Amino acid sequence: MLSIGKRTLRGLALTLALSVAPVAAYAQAPSDADVLANYANIALAGYEDSLATAKALDAAIDALIAGPSEATLAAARDAWKAARIPYQQTEAFRFGNPIVDEWEGRVNAWPLDEGLIDYVDAGYGTESDSNALYVANVIANPKIIIDGTEVDATDITPELLQTELQEAAGVESNVATGYHAIEFLLWGQDLNGTGPGAGNRPFTDYSTADHADRRAAYLKAASTLLVSDLEEMVGNWTETGAARAALPELGLSAILTGMGSLSFGELAGERMKLGLLLHDPEEEHDCFSDNTHISHLQDAQGIENVYLGKYTRVDGTVIEGPSLSDVIAAKDAALDTEIKGLLADTLSKMHVMADRAEAGEAYDQQIGEGNVEGNAVVQAAIDGLIAQTRGIERAVALLQLADVTIEDSDSLSNPDAVFE
C-alpha cells in the first residue's frame, strides 16, 4: 500500500468538523451489510443504464448499416458517446470485485492494434515484433492464420470475434470486441497526432467502399456482443446475482480497493500520466473519437458515487442510501469531510480539463509536447487523483482493512522505467 502522509487539508477539515458538526463523529454508523446493499443497487443501476444506452447504440448502428449517410454515421457516433457516460461510472466497481475484473476486458479493453480489424494508414506500419496479427485485417481477409492455424472468417459473427479474435494468439492488444472496437469502426484512425481533429471514417465505408458488407457485419457483431455482455453484468448485480452474492465476504474492502486502484494506478497512472510523460496521443483512452476527456471525468464521478452511496441515473432518477462516507463519518468526521473535499476537488479539475476539450483543445492536444498550459491542466487532474488516493488510504487505515491493495503504476512511482 502507498505511504500515508500528513496533509494540511486534514487539519482544516478537522477544524471545520469540530466547529460545525461536533457530534458527527459519534453518529450511528450504518451496518456494512446496508452499505454493501446500496453499493450493489448503484452497480445494478449503472449497468442497467449502460445496457440501455448500448441498446440505443445498437439501434443507431442498425440504421447506419441499413442506410449509410453522414446523418446515420453521426447519429451512431453520438449514441456511442452517450453510452460511454454511464459505463465509465461503473469502472469504480472494478478491482474490488473479481467478477467484474474477469469480465471487463470484453467490453473496455484498450489500447488495441486496430490493424487486426480493418484497413489502416501506411504510417501504422506493416508488422510488429509483439503481434503477428498486427495488420491481419479480418474485414478484408476471410481466412487468417492464428498461431499457425487457419481460421475461417468468412462469416463475421459474434462468436468469431469472441472466441477466435479477442486477445488472439495471447496478445492483449488484439482487442476485437467492446466499446473501442466499435469506436474504431465508427471513427477510423485519428491521424492528427497532437493536432486538432478526431478520426474521420467516411460513411461510404458502409456503402460503396471495398468490403463494406463485411465491415457492417463486424460492426453489428461487435454491437451485439456489447449488448449481451452488459446483459450478463446486469444479471450479476440483481438480487440473486453472483457479484451481489460475493459482497458479504468481500466487505467494505471491495469499495475502497475499487476507489483506490481506479484513482491511482489505472486512471492517474496508466491512462493519464503515461500519455503525459510520453506526449503520445496513442496513450489516450478514447483515442479514435477524441472523447477521452469525458471518459476520465466519468471515471472520477464514479469514484465519488461509490463513496457517497449516490448515483444519478440517465433518466435523472437518484439511487441513494447508506454509504462508506457514513461509516467513515461515524468514526472520524474530519476524515470524511477531507475525503469528500478531495473527491470534489478532483472532479473540479477534471471539469476544467473537459471544458477545455469541449472548447476545442482535445485531450490528445492537451498532453502534446510543448503545450505547457494544457499539460498543466492534465497534471492538475492527476494530482487531484493522487491526493484523493491518500485520503482513501487513510480510510483503509481507520477501518483497519488489511486486505486492500491499491494498484500501482510505473508512470507515477517509477517514471524512469517508462523510458527504458
Side-chain angles (χ1 to χ4, degrees):
M1 186 177 296
L2 304 174
S3 62
I4 301 173
K6 295 181 180 178
R7 292 289 186 273
T8 302
L9 179 59
R10 185 175 179 184
L12 294 173
L14 177 60
T15 301
L16 179 63
L18 291 174
S19 62
V20 176
V23 300
Y26 306 99
Q28 181 66 42
S31 69
D32 288 4
D34 287 344
V35 171
L36 292 169
N38 184 53
Y39 172 78
N41 290 340
I42 290 172
L44 176 61
Y47 286 115
E48 285 177 338
D49 283 351
S50 299
L51 174 59
T53 52
K55 287 181 174 179
L57 169 60
D58 188 55
I61 285 170
D62 285 342
L64 168 62
I65 292 170
S69 68
E70 293 282 5
T72 55
L73 177 57
R77 289 172 173 175
D78 287 345
W80 185 90
K81 288 181 177 180
R84 293 296 281 165
I85 293 173
Y87 177 76
Q88 287 303 114
Q89 291 186 49
T90 69
E91 287 217 287
F93 299 98
R94 293 182 57 197
F95 304 106
N97 294 283
I99 287 173
V100 176
D101 268 352
E102 291 167 7
W103 166 93
E104 185 272 342
R106 287 151 52 183
V107 299
N108 200 37
W110 78 287
L112 70 161
D113 288 344
E114 56 263 37
L116 167 72
I117 298 173
D118 201 2
Y119 70 86
V120 289
D121 183 76
Y124 181 82
T126 58
E127 60 183 2
S128 165
D129 291 339
S130 60
N131 186 7
L133 298 169
Y134 187 64
V135 286
N137 193 348
V138 174
I139 285 173
N141 296 292
K143 306 285 185 183
I144 61 172
I145 304 297
I146 300 177
D147 281 340
T149 300
E150 184 177 84
V151 172
D152 184 358
T154 302
D155 295 324
I156 300 180
T157 64
E159 292 72 26
L160 175 72
L161 272 55
Q162 189 171 59
T163 63
E164 299 287 355
L165 301 182
Q166 180 73 353
E167 296 191 5
V171 178
E172 288 187 356
S173 60
N174 283 330
V175 176
T177 68
Y179 288 101
H180 297 295
I182 295 170
E183 180 192 10
F184 170 56
L185 287 167
L186 292 177
W187 273 271
Q189 290 178 287
D190 181 351
L191 302 173
N192 302 292
T194 54
N200 192 30
R201 184 185 290 277
F203 76 86
T204 51
D205 271 7
Y206 292 96
S207 56
T208 58
D210 291 343
H211 316 298
D213 289 347
R214 287 179 60 80
R215 190 169 294 109
Y218 196 118
L219 179 59
K220 180 59 182 176
S223 181
T224 298
L225 268 180
L226 180 62
V227 169
S228 63
D229 285 337
L230 287 166
E231 286 174 338
E232 177 184 323
M233 190 49 62
V234 167
N236 279 323
W237 289 99
T238 61
E239 290 298 328
T240 57
R244 188 183 289 259
L247 282 177
E249 183 175 351
L250 296 170
L252 299 182
S253 295
I255 306 177
L256 285 158
T257 298
M259 289 178 63
S261 293
L262 181 56
S263 293
F264 193 78
E266 184 69 15
L267 188 52
E270 295 306 301
R271 296 192 188 178
M272 297 185 72
K273 187 62 176 183
L274 179 59
L276 187 57
L277 285 171
L278 299 175
H279 303 294
D280 185 356
E282 295 300 311
E283 294 292 343
E284 61 160 336
H285 196 51
D286 295 355
C287 66
F288 307 115
S289 60
D290 275 356
N291 188 63
T292 300
H293 59 288
I294 297 296
S295 287
H296 290 351
L297 172 62
Q298 297 306 320
D299 269 334
Q301 182 64 64
I303 295 166
E304 184 185 64
N305 291 349
V306 297
Y307 184 72
L308 298 180
K310 181 178 180 180
Y311 168 62
T312 302
R313 300 195 62 162
V314 170
D315 66 1
T317 302
V318 176
I319 307 297
E320 187 173 12
S323 68
L324 180 60
S325 173
D326 296 332
V327 172
I328 300 300
K331 291 180 176 293
D332 186 338
L335 178 57
D336 174 60
T337 299
E338 177 190 353
I339 293 172
K340 287 189 288 191
L342 290 169
L343 295 172
D345 180 63
T346 298
L347 274 168
S348 177
K349 290 171 178 175
M350 287 286 188
H351 275 290
V352 171
M353 184 184 71
D355 289 347
R356 190 178 182 92
E358 293 294 327
E361 186 178 271
Y363 181 81
D364 55 7
Q365 295 175 267
Q366 291 180 43
I367 65 172
E369 189 170 9
N371 185 349
V372 176
E373 187 175 336
N375 284 191
V377 167
V378 174
Q379 183 61 55
I382 294 169
D383 291 343
L385 289 164
I386 294 171
Q388 74 182 36
T389 305
R390 302 292 184 255
I392 292 164
E393 290 171 335
R394 286 191 278 280
V396 172
L398 178 69
L399 299 179
Q400 299 182 330
L401 299 173
D403 56 346
V404 174
T405 300
I406 293 177
E407 295 282 330
D408 204 346
S409 168
D410 279 345
S411 302
L412 299 173
S413 301
N414 185 23
D416 288 343
V418 171
F419 300 97
E420 291 178 356

